[in-house]
Amino acid sequence: MALETKATITTFGGRFLKLSHSSSTTSTPMNFTVFIPPGASSSKPAPVLIYLSGLTCTPDNVTEKGFLHAHASKLGLALLYPDTSPRGTDLPGEHDSWDFGSAASFYIDATKEPYKKHYQMESYVTKELPELVFSEFKELDKTKVSIAGHSMGGHGALTLYLKNPGMYKSVSAWAPIANPSQCPWGEKAFGGYIGDDKAAWKKHDATELVKSWKNGPLKALIDVGTGDNFYKQKQLLPENFEAAVKEAGVEDVTVRYQDGYDHSYFFISTFGEDHVKHAAKHLGLL
Ligand SMILES: N[C@@H](CCC(=O)N[C@@H](CS)C(=O)NCC(=O)O)C(=O)O
């Protein structure tokens, strides 16, 4: 698999790479970025935190405004930032709205035409991308991976974690879309990618998935800003997730409501150190 390096940037003592490759999963070009902390080598590989971005984003938004690598560098943690959807396609409706299609994959495998050929982001993020990254970068430790994300990416992090017990050591999310089958963003995305069968939606909904979690403490950290307009508009619904956690008796779930914070990178960056340290703790770095 040929990997094209678009940029190599030195930052906080580590290497930040912008990369692109041709994906066999999405049948499109895919972009991603990776931060390799100082000191990582094939004999001392760094654990990895995967960060999934939100609606409208490329991997650039968080890497320019989230400052996660500033904290990851000190702890010896690598960061992997996948893109939010396939690129280079022009499917019907794909680019018409900011909350569906391009940059809005919801990290699921579409089953409906015309999206199913390319919008296979769940398989891409859980299989092809890690296989590629760990075969190309021997300074990264494939046995130690955690996952995090913001908004749509928070939904992606929580659901991929819940669907794949053991694949990730911990999960965290800023302002996740925590009950997508009950909110307008999720209804639009699931309707468009999967269809009208609401039973099928539940397989991609963190609040539904956590009800049958039987794999011990969840090791989850969630932050939500009380000044977040999308929270106020009931797109995020973290209380529904909390209620499901409580009812199922799932342990080690911390949900924090941060007074006055909005949905932006001012919020993400403020709590970035906590999320990086949460992953670092479960990856054996702290
Ligand atoms: N485009 C939307 C906002 C979408 C939005 O806030 N996206 C978040 C993720 S859910 C984001 O990170 N946007 C990119 C940025 O702020 O740099 C609007 O105009 O209301």
Side-chain angles (χ1 to χ4, degrees):
M1 246 178 297
L3 198 54
E4 189 186 344
T5 304
K6 304 246 178 172
T8 305
I9 298 162
T10 301
T11 180
F12 288 94
R15 268 188 308 146
F16 179 67
L17 306 171
K18 297 190 181 194
L19 301 150
S20 183
H21 71 114
S22 172
S23 165
S24 58
T25 307
T26 64
S27 307
T28 65
M30 287 300 301
N31 304 317
F32 67 95
T33 63
V34 63
F35 172 74
I36 302 174
S41 68
S42 55
S43 56
K44 196 173 167 257
V48 179
L49 175 60
I50 299 175
Y51 175 98
L52 302 179
S53 296
L55 293 165
T56 74
C57 290
T58 69
D60 287 341
N61 304 69
V62 68
T63 48
E64 289 169 6
K65 300 189 284 191
F67 310 118
L68 302 183
H69 50 274
H71 310 295
S73 174
K74 287 188 217 149
L75 297 165
L77 178 66
L79 291 158
L80 172 60
Y81 302 96
D83 204 351
T84 48
S85 76
R87 303 286 174 177
T89 42
D90 195 13
L91 305 169
E94 188 182 13
H95 310 301
D96 293 351
S97 50
W98 60 269
D99 54 2
F100 183 79
S102 49
S105 71
F106 274 75
Y107 304 102
I108 61 177
D109 288 346
T111 54
K112 202 177 149 188
E113 297 289 1
Y115 285 90
K116 69 179 188 184
K117 182 167 184 331
H118 301 293
Y119 277 65
Q120 295 293 313
M121 287 294 286
E122 178 174 344
S123 296
Y124 175 74
V125 170
T126 57
K127 297 190 187 95
E128 185 181 0
L129 181 63
E131 276 167 27
L132 171 68
V133 166
F134 290 118
S135 80
E136 291 282 334
F137 297 101
K138 300 295 180 206
E139 58 273 65
L140 303 182
D141 188 345
K142 67 177 177 191
T143 68
K144 290 183 182 163
V145 182
S146 281
I147 193 160
H150 171 230
S151 195
M152 174 185 74
H155 142 78
L158 288 170
T159 53
L160 296 186
Y161 183 83
L162 289 162
K163 288 177 192 183
N164 298 285
M167 185 177 279
Y168 309 109
K169 304 288 184 205
S170 64
V171 64
S172 79
W174 294 255
I177 304 171
N179 192 188
S181 52
Q182 301 296 327
C183 77
W185 277 342
E187 286 167 357
K188 182 172 177 179
F190 291 172
Y193 298 133
I194 306 173
D196 296 333
D197 176 9
K198 296 205 171 169
W201 294 11
K202 292 186 178 179
K203 295 182 202 151
H204 307 289
D205 184 319
T207 295
E208 296 297 334
L209 289 166
V210 81
K211 292 177 185 169
S212 51
W213 177 262
K214 299 272 183 282
N215 299 283
L218 202 65
K219 303 176 197 162
L221 169 65
I222 294 173
D223 278 314
V224 181
T226 63
D228 181 331
N229 281 334
F230 298 127
Y231 169 57
K232 292 182 199 167
Q233 292 161 13
K234 303 206 178 304
Q235 294 281 18
L236 308 180
L237 303 171
E239 292 88 354
N240 294 4
F241 181 75
E242 279 188 284
V245 163
K246 200 168 168 201
E247 177 142 1
V250 175
E251 292 178 351
D252 197 5
V253 181
T254 302
V255 182
R256 308 187 302 189
Y257 292 87
Q258 305 290 5
D259 192 27
Y261 284 88
D262 66 12
H263 200 70
S264 74
Y265 293 83
F266 294 105
F267 164 62
I268 297 176
S269 57
T270 299
F271 300 103
E273 184 172 10
D274 292 355
H275 287 247
V276 166
K277 284 188 168 166
H278 174 76
K281 183 179 87 180
H282 290 291
L283 292 165
L285 292 169
L286 277 173

